[in-house]
Amino acid sequence: TGKPLGAFIAEQLGEQVSLGEEPDGEGVSQAKARYLLAEMEAVSAQLPGGLRRASDALWRYVAQRVPADPEVAAYDLSKLEDVVVRVSGPLAHVYFNVVTRPLDLIEVMLLYPNLLDRLFETGAVGLVAGRSGDKTVVMGPTGGMGVIGDGFVEMERQNPLAPFGDPAWVAGELHRVVGFSNAGDLLLLGKVFADGRVVTFEKQVSTHGGLGGAQGRPFIVYPPGSGPFETCSPEDLHRIFYEWHRHDGTVVGTGAGIAGMTA
């Protein structure tokens, strides 16, 4: 389109869109602290008894000093212009701040009735995903759509997941990310072309972080005698590294040149 994704969305809505890629201020510091608390809680669950108690005590100390995240239940239509776009390579999250809770896809379509059509008309957006309660709804540029839930996938017309790799695996990854409490109200993936090129929403020569093309073919270099490994997610790699560290007493990622990389 010749313009950043956020600017394009602003143009379609005729509204002011927050485009900051490097937010700052007290609110962001508090958000980082809440993120740290969540990370600490996850790590603590894997520690032995004594370390876990110490970690829990530190968690409580930090938690008491971090303000709660405010929640507002009803629409504030005066904030229809408050739209935030965050991009990372070929992946984008779009947040509509008419309410602080996550919006279902049908709500986005009612509040911004022409936006999805305009996005697909660019030829750059390969898939739009959003929530429907505890399910994930996906839509493609050729009219295909589907619903993904825990243990099931239902698709109508041309499967919009097909260009991004194995549809069953792609469905699981999308459902996982859309289910995050801090995921966007819309999740956009850049289009994957037949020659393997992928649309990125940032000004980059090459890109990764979404789905489709070479970015979906990762590799890992590991010491002889370790493996092979069955992995489907970053969490799987974390478990592998953690077990190496715990059993061998070695620091993963140094000396031997152990690395997880994306093509």
Side-chain angles (χ1 to χ4, degrees):
T1 64
K3 56 178 70 70
L5 177 63
F8 176 81
I9 291 176
E11 187 178 88
Q12 307 316 304
L13 303 180
E15 308 183 11
Q16 303 246 331
V17 176
S18 173
L19 299 177
E21 293 299 325
E22 296 294 337
D24 53 20
E26 182 180 0
V28 172
S29 296
Q30 294 174 6
K32 288 179 178 178
R34 286 190 289 269
Y35 172 80
L36 176 61
L37 286 172
E39 290 294 293
M40 288 171 60
E41 190 172 24
V43 170
S44 179
Q46 302 184 53
L47 296 175
L51 288 176
R52 183 181 304 167
R53 286 190 292 273
S55 177
D56 289 345
L58 177 60
W59 186 93
R60 287 191 297 271
Y61 177 85
V62 176
Q64 290 170 0
R65 288 157 176 79
V66 178
D69 201 9
E71 291 291 339
V72 179
Y75 294 138
D76 181 353
L77 297 182
S78 68
K79 291 189 174 181
L80 277 174
E81 297 182 354
D82 190 356
V83 182
V84 180
V85 177
R86 290 286 183 263
V87 301
S88 178
L91 171 70
H93 291 265
V94 185
Y95 303 83
F96 302 93
N97 290 331
V98 292
V99 64
T100 58
R101 63 170 174 80
L103 288 171
D104 274 7
L105 182 59
I106 188 63
E107 294 178 283
V108 175
M109 295 173 71
L110 288 171
L111 290 165
Y112 305 93
N114 299 314
L115 179 59
L116 266 61
D117 286 342
R118 301 290 87 80
L119 287 168
F120 284 133
E121 286 171 4
T122 65
V125 175
L127 183 136
V128 172
R131 302 175 181 86
S132 179
D134 61 353
K135 299 178 179 62
T136 299
V137 179
V138 294
M139 304 175 66
T142 59
M145 66 175 298
V147 178
I148 307 166
D150 294 332
F152 78 90
V153 178
E154 297 178 358
M155 294 290 160
E156 294 183 4
R157 297 184 290 277
Q158 185 173 348
N159 190 334
L161 308 182
F164 300 95
D166 173 52
W169 179 80
V170 172
E173 290 295 290
L174 285 172
H175 185 51
R176 171 178 169 272
V177 173
V178 171
F180 291 162
S181 61
N182 57 354
D185 300 308
L186 292 182
L187 185 149
L188 311 180
L189 289 178
K191 181 177 179 179
V192 179
F193 293 93
D195 62 2
R197 290 179 301 141
V198 179
V199 170
T200 177
F201 299 123
E202 297 182 279
K203 191 174 183 180
Q204 298 174 326
V205 176
S206 60
T207 191
H208 72 97
L211 293 170
Q215 64 184 322
R217 297 192 290 273
F219 63 89
I220 179 171
V221 180
Y222 55 87
S226 302
F229 306 106
E230 293 292 335
T231 63
C232 294
S233 69
E235 289 82 0
D236 289 339
L237 286 176
H238 177 270
R239 281 189 287 271
I240 291 169
F241 294 154
Y242 180 77
E243 288 301 311
W244 282 353
H245 177 76
R246 188 162 68 92
H247 292 301
D248 300 337
T250 58
V251 178
V252 174
T254 64
I258 303 167
M261 307 178 69
T262 302

